[in-house]
Amino acid sequence: MTVNEQILEEIAACEKLLIGIGEEWKAEGIPDMGILYEKMNELIKDKDFFIVTTVTDGEILKSPLEQSRMVAPCGNATWRQCSKTCTKDIWEPGEIPQDVCPHCGAPLTGNTIEAEDYIEEGYLPQWKAFTMWLAGTLNKKLLVLELGVGFQTPTVIRWPFEKTVSINKKSHMYRIHGKFAQLPDTVKGKADAVLENSTEFFRKL
Ligand SMILES: [Zn+2]
């Protein structure tokens, strides 16, 4: 059986599906990103899944993937915040026509970790939903797909996912990355490394 067939079989068989999306999924330079997310939705829409992404371009929000089942801890550039952080308000795209803070008049900026003073309230409600979901995976057959997560922000997905896999006896992980697919001993026997760019791999899945 090929790795692709194995993954498809495990998606069908798992009770919980955790997906991590990292650096390789930045839409910049990938013209068909929308198609990849649509494909992901087709593959997983009937599963009990949760997606954690460090990508901040907001492309995933345009996809049909269920938004109550995803969290973007590094933020979302299409959501706007005050560049001076005079308020914790966060606005949807186009909600403030001039892109200027209605409280203090400062320009708005993307609600991401790139902002000088990142307003974390944007993702915290979904983070709460995620931690509750994750707590419910402990004794369940858990499949973890880690797609293109390197070492830009390893504390968000990479290291916590390794820990999740190491403590769940029924878990299995695929770490797919063009350069950094290596696995630590803590997940030995419970994880497979696929050394291939994860968007290219996913396109062929
Ligand atoms: Zn302001």
Side-chain angles (χ1 to χ4, degrees), residues 81-87 91 100-108:
Q81 69 164 74
C82 173
S83 58
K84 301 262 184 261
T85 323
C86 79
T87 168
W91 297 280
V100 162
C101 176
H103 302 290
C104 76
L108 299 185

